Amino acid sequence: MSASQRVLELREQIEQHNRQYYVLDAPLIPDAEYDRLFRELQALEAANPQLASADSPTQRVGAAPQAEFKSVAHRTPMLSLNNAFSADEVEAFDRRAREALAVAGEIDYAAEPKFDGLAVGLTYENGIFTRGATRGDGFTGEDVTVNLRTLANLPLRLNGKAPPRLLEVRGEVLMLRSDFSRLNSRQRERGEKEFVNPRNAAAGSLRQLDSRITAQRSLRFFAYGIGVSEGIDLPPSHFAALDLLVALGLPVAAERRRVSGLAGLLGFYAQLGAKRAALPYDIDGVVYKVDSLEAQERLGFVSRAPRFAIAHKFPAEEAVTELLGIDVQVGRTGALTPVARLAPIFVGGVTVTNATLHNQGEIDRKDLRIGDTVIVRRAGDVIPEVVGPLLDRRPGDLPRFNLLARYPTCPVCGSHVVRADDEAVARCSGGLYCPAQRKQALLHFASRRAMDIEGLGDKLVDQLVDGDIVRTPADLYKMGLLALSNLERMAEKSATNLLAAIDRSRQTTLSRFIYALGIRNVGETTAKDLARHFGRLDSILAASEEELMQVADVGPVVAQCLRQFCAEPHNVEVIAQLRAAGVAWSEGEGRSPAPAASAAAGKVFVLTGTMPSLSREQAKELIDAAGGKVSGSVSKKTDYVVAGSEAGSKLDKAQELGVTVINEAQLRILLERATDHE
Ligand code: IVH
């Protein structure tokens, strides 16, 4: 047998044993025998470098570190699920589905665990694993292919003689509880930081630029659906699609059932809830999906979540601890938020030491006093909450807590704290004089949906503000390499990367810029509406309250906040400096006085494939700005499918339904026509 034949044979055998061990939990050979096969393959590959292949099981040990993760546009968006916290909410979900589908009897559902890990999409081309990406913002994720290759139960090659031309498998990466405790004892022994829970450990391990680290962390993958497929006939139901994935060699949780109607759903919930503690991995609820794929299609999506599926969460865990004190945090707009300082307590998978109390009203309503014994609640991915005091454990003489009395002046800058009569919150009156407000304003300015300056996190902003290097957002654009490299924990490489990110942010859109200014009550949507209505920044700066109120959803409060902001010379100055520093956008972009007048307005678009110059996110922004809608799946209601290269099954679907298919250039024309109309 030639070396190349033996290599192929070994790869197949080893993958088969991997599957037996990790997926089917039924090893066929002893570990020592497996190790022997593995070493033989390693030796053959080392002696015959021309036989190396990315889908060899030897590649699971990781590869040389990468400089950064590339971003990947998802062929179909990776959406989130709506949550149900009670049987009533599940009943409502089932009722809505029956009504929308006009089903008289019971609906069949597929019920599965809701894994507490992180979502990824795995692309297989002709049966070979070629790419894996994180969910990211749902439209674009990070390319973590090399890291995913190290997962022992992730097939690098699909089973079967005739693999689909293209298959994107969606699922969750997680760490088994046993692997998590092993990892933490190892961390402890080495004097390194322990991870708070398996989910954080999984996230931290997957997003390693050095995949050799990922390889040592024993992550697992569980498939729960199909994102895109070509060259394969999908079965008619989700449950059968999961069986198909199993047949292809993918790991799918055994805890899945096809159930009927509301009773079936709640029965599954109770069963899995009882088993939860004994499962090898963490789950934070169960997921119900209408089983028929045709019915799923008809139900479609609302905003970012499907109508055909819902996550039924397990109740949040509760624990009892002491309320040691109440501190305050100063936010971007000066709001003083009281924060409970708690005796450390392990609840819902993490150790909680503090929890927001929101405002004075909340403290009064719950009647919380420093020194109380309190109930703390935390559900999986939700922030911890102080439920209330155990009154029978209160020592008789605890005084009420009064925020204004305790903090007559801002703990950060010493300015007066004021509370307007009609407002729930107390605010520091220091404005941008207050370092805390300045820090928050900078973080907001740099945030992803604002100017999107990657790498400008809170530790860095603390240093920049405390060191008086940056006072206003405009100062960011004046920083040099030297000032940055002198900061603590800032290597020259990260400084260069940050400066590049700052430079990239110079080219932006009007709506992002307005949002980035952090004007009170002007969120992302209002910023978009303003940009669309006025088209130019100067028109917004000059507009009267009446003119501002012409914009849909801008009421007197928002209009007043805008006027106050623009009347402040300091703000006008910062805007001028930002423009002088080269921050720019194309004026008039997305402008359309009444969205209904534009050619794209009210139209439903579906994006598929990779466009030559626009990312998914950018295309979506442009369409949104022109008053159109972007949907995740093609149906009769779709007006245009925008297809790029390697367009997926949506293109087929569009052709089948006779939906107009356009390319990026045609999309741009359509959007331009929208602006010409004015
Ligand atoms: S289906 C269209 N099934 O939950 C929605 N998601 O909020 C597709 N998740 O980030 C998701 N277990 O990673 C689905 N059995 C399961 C899941 C599951 C966990 C995660 C998923 C997503 C989040 C949705």
Side-chain angles (χ1 to χ4, degrees):
M1 186 184 287
S2 72
S4 73
Q5 276 172 327
R6 180 64 183 154
V7 161
L8 290 181
E9 189 179 79
L10 282 168
R11 284 182 188 158
E12 204 171 305
Q13 283 180 13
I14 291 170
E15 283 296 292
Q16 168 68 13
H17 290 307
N18 277 346
R19 201 155 34 240
Q20 288 292 340
Y21 186 92
Y22 291 108
V23 183
L24 306 174
D25 211 6
L28 296 175
I29 53 168
D31 289 0
E33 174 65 9
Y34 176 90
D35 291 342
R36 198 192 57 72
L37 293 173
F38 198 87
R39 278 196 303 272
E40 185 186 347
L41 177 59
Q42 276 180 322
L44 275 173
E45 287 179 349
N48 303 279
Q50 77 282 3
L51 297 179
S53 163
D55 68 348
S56 170
T58 55
Q59 297 308 298
R60 293 192 188 276
V61 291
Q66 315 180 70
E68 57 171 10
F69 294 117
K70 287 194 296 246
S71 47
V72 187
H74 300 305
R75 285 163 188 269
T76 58
M78 294 181 74
L79 299 155
S80 46
L81 291 166
N82 287 328
N83 291 325
F85 293 97
S86 66
D88 285 352
E89 289 174 12
V90 177
E91 186 190 350
F93 160 75
D94 174 57
R95 182 165 8 92
R96 283 193 302 272
R98 276 186 291 116
E99 281 168 9
L101 294 170
V103 173
E106 291 187 327
I107 293 184
D108 283 343
Y109 291 99
E112 309 164 17
K114 182 163 194 303
F115 305 100
D116 201 6
L118 49 146
V120 293
L122 314 178
T123 303
Y124 288 88
E125 291 171 79
N126 299 311
I128 309 282
F129 173 60
T130 52
R131 192 151 81 177
T134 61
R135 174 169 184 268
D137 64 2
F139 295 94
T140 322
E142 286 178 326
D143 186 334
V144 286
T145 313
V146 277
N147 305 65
L148 286 169
R149 278 212 178 98
T150 69
L151 269 59
N153 77 339
L154 185 153
L156 300 174
R157 195 185 261 278
L158 296 178
N159 264 351
K161 292 270 175 295
R165 192 161 66 244
L166 178 73
L167 187 71
E168 197 217 345
V169 181
R170 299 267 166 96
E172 198 95 343
V173 167
L174 51 80
M175 190 177 283
L176 300 185
R177 289 179 179 148
S178 52
D179 288 322
F180 170 73
S181 48
R182 252 193 302 277
L183 171 63
N184 263 357
S185 22
R186 205 172 66 200
Q187 296 288 101
R188 237 187 339 267
E189 279 160 21
R190 295 179 180 172
E192 286 178 33
K193 210 170 150 248
E194 292 180 49
F195 294 92
V196 280
N197 57 32
R199 179 196 155 90
N200 289 14
S205 304
L206 183 64
R207 295 189 67 257
Q208 285 285 341
L209 289 170
D210 187 345
S211 56
R212 290 168 301 194
I213 299 180
T214 314
Q216 293 163 11
R217 295 282 174 83
S218 311
L219 297 176
R220 303 297 170 99
F221 171 76
F222 285 95
Y224 55 63
I226 295 177
V228 185
S229 69
E230 278 174 28
I232 186 171
D233 286 327
L234 289 187
S237 79
H238 177 73
F239 203 77
L242 293 180
D243 286 342
L244 171 70
L245 292 178
V246 173
L248 290 170
L250 285 150
V252 181
E255 271 66 40
R256 59 180 194 278
R257 297 278 174 281
R258 183 186 263 145
V259 299
S260 257
L262 179 65
L265 296 178
L266 298 179
F268 181 81
Y269 178 81
Q271 263 175 21
L272 204 61
K275 255 180 146 175
R276 182 181 181 189
L279 292 175
Y281 44 74
D282 282 355
I283 63 175
D284 55 350
V286 297
V287 181
Y288 309 135
K289 303 171 184 173
V290 170
D291 196 32
S292 151
L293 295 185
E294 178 271 331
Q296 286 194 0
E297 183 95 3
R298 272 195 286 147
L299 285 165
F301 298 83
V302 233
S303 123
R304 297 196 130 206
R307 259 196 216 96
F308 57 78
I310 199 160
H312 189 182
K313 295 295 204 74
F314 290 132
E317 265 184 53
E318 292 188 344
V320 170
T321 190
E322 299 299 314
L323 178 60
L324 302 177
I326 297 180
D327 299 338
V328 292
Q329 262 170 10
V330 183
R332 174 162 64 82
T333 56
L336 259 53
T337 305
V339 179
R341 202 149 39 75
L342 302 163
I345 179 80
F346 191 76
V347 55
V350 297
T351 302
V352 173
T353 51
N354 50 52
T356 178
L357 297 173
H358 304 288
N359 53 48
Q360 179 73 50
E362 185 85 359
I363 296 174
D364 295 344
R365 220 174 0 265
K366 292 181 174 166
D367 186 19
L368 289 169
R369 306 188 191 185
I370 296 170
D372 265 335
T373 301
V374 293
I375 300 175
V376 176
R377 176 193 291 164
R378 184 180 180 277
D381 45 1
V382 184
I383 56 167
E385 178 198 5
V386 178
V387 182
L390 292 175
L391 289 177
D392 56 348
R393 293 228 215 146
R394 173 176 289 170
D397 53 352
L398 294 180
R400 286 184 180 279
F401 178 83
N402 184 313
L403 187 81
L404 277 178
R406 174 74 186 74
Y407 294 100
T409 56
C410 170
V412 179
C413 74
S415 304
H416 287 292
V417 169
V418 289
R419 178 171 163 185
D421 298 338
D422 54 348
E423 273 207 72
V425 285
R427 285 178 205 279
C428 156
S429 58
L432 290 179
Y433 166 75
C434 175
Q437 292 188 50
R438 236 183 291 147
K439 288 176 185 173
Q440 294 302 323
L442 286 166
L443 283 171
H444 172 79
F445 182 83
S447 64
R448 199 165 48 77
R449 293 180 175 277
M451 300 300 277
D452 193 16
I453 304 178
E454 204 182 322
L456 193 64
D458 46 7
K459 298 255 160 29
L460 192 54
V461 166
D462 280 352
Q463 290 192 61
L464 292 174
V465 171
D466 295 342
D468 214 17
I469 301 170
V470 170
R471 299 181 71 92
T472 76
D475 294 341
L476 292 172
Y477 295 91
K478 299 172 193 160
M479 281 189 307
L481 192 58
L482 193 64
L484 273 179
S485 322
N486 282 338
L487 295 176
E488 237 177 89
R489 280 182 305 196
M490 178 61 106
E492 187 172 321
K493 175 125 182 54
S494 1
T496 315
N497 286 345
L498 178 64
L499 287 179
I502 293 176
D503 189 40
R504 275 197 302 278
S505 76
R506 283 194 165 90
Q507 189 55 48
T508 185
T509 63
L510 177 55
S511 60
R512 276 178 179 269
F513 184 77
I514 298 169
Y515 174 59
L517 292 174
I519 305 165
R520 242 172 90 192
N521 290 313
V522 177
E524 217 185 341
T525 312
T526 308
K528 279 185 183 160
D529 289 346
L530 288 164
R532 191 184 301 151
H533 183 92
F534 288 99
R536 299 168 50 80
L537 182 64
D538 292 330
S539 318
I540 301 175
L541 296 179
S544 66
E545 284 187 26
E546 289 69 38
E547 284 166 334
L548 289 166
M549 275 159 41
Q550 303 286 306
V551 179
D553 286 344
V554 172
V557 174
V558 178
Q560 200 191 6
C561 289
L562 275 157
R563 280 315 314 147
Q564 277 173 357
F565 182 90
C566 300
E568 178 64 58
H570 167 86
N571 292 332
V572 179
E573 172 61 24
V574 170
I575 292 175
Q577 286 184 15
L578 284 167
R579 287 169 128 176
V583 174
W585 53 87
S586 52
E587 295 264 33
E589 182 182 301
R591 176 163 154 72
S592 62
S598 82
K603 296 283 190 276
V604 179
F605 291 78
V606 172
L607 308 174
T608 176
T610 314
M611 281 173 262
S613 69
L614 287 176
S615 70
R616 286 264 162 122
E617 186 82 87
Q618 289 166 331
K620 187 176 175 313
E621 264 180 26
L622 291 177
I623 293 170
D624 278 352
K629 273 210 161 36
V630 175
S631 152
S633 61
V634 181
S635 72
K636 289 198 203 89
K637 296 204 192 98
T638 312
D639 293 292
Y640 298 100
V641 167
V642 187
S645 61
E646 298 174 288
S649 59
K650 292 180 189 169
L651 183 55
D652 302 348
K653 180 90 199 190
Q655 277 150 358
E656 192 184 306
L657 294 176
V659 175
T660 311
V661 177
I662 58 174
N663 59 21
E664 179 183 322
Q666 290 165 317
L667 171 67
R668 286 183 182 276
I669 294 170
L670 197 72
L671 295 169
E672 265 163 31
R673 243 200 300 150
T675 49
D676 284 352
H677 271 297
E678 297 162 28

